[in-house]
């Protein structure tokens, strides 16, 4: 598997983890329990990694275009 495929897989699994954490927080709030403050910070780690992998995948087509025009013109 290439690096691009690994990044896509990591991004998919991170989205599942992020969604599960957010759902768990809503369930605990719905049960009437007030979770500790650090529980609210749990989604931030997968969210930050989602942002990094998402930005990588967003920029990827532009870098491929840049590489192809550079190699064709060089």
């Amino acid at each position: 598997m290439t690096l691009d495929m690994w990044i896509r897989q990591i991004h998919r699994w991170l989205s599942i983890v992020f969604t599960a954490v957010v759902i768990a927080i809503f369930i605990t709030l719905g049960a009437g329990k007030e979770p500790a403050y650090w529980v609210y910070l749990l989604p931030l780690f997968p969210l930050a990694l989602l942002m990094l992998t998402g930005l990588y995948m967003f920029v990827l087509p532009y870098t491929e275009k840049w590489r192809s025009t550079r190699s064709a013109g060089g």
Side-chain angles (χ1 to χ4, degrees):
M1 260 170 52
T2 64
L3 178 65
D4 300 340
M5 295 302 292
W6 278 105
I7 296 291
R8 286 182 190 278
Q9 279 295 103
I10 290 169
H11 189 80
R12 288 180 188 136
W13 282 103
L14 282 173
S15 67
I16 293 170
V17 169
F18 174 75
T19 305
V21 169
V22 170
I23 289 172
I25 290 173
F26 276 107
I27 289 173
T28 57
L29 287 173
K33 299 178 182 177
E34 185 65 30
Y37 178 72
W38 61 269
V39 174
Y40 294 112
L41 300 177
L42 282 177
L44 293 179
F45 181 67
L47 187 62
L49 293 175
L50 276 170
M51 184 186 71
L52 292 174
T53 56
L55 285 172
Y56 174 81
M57 289 189 299
F58 177 77
V59 171
L60 193 61
Y62 299 107
T63 59
E64 287 178 2
K65 285 181 187 177
W66 178 74
R67 286 181 189 166
S68 65
T69 57
R70 187 174 170 198
S71 64

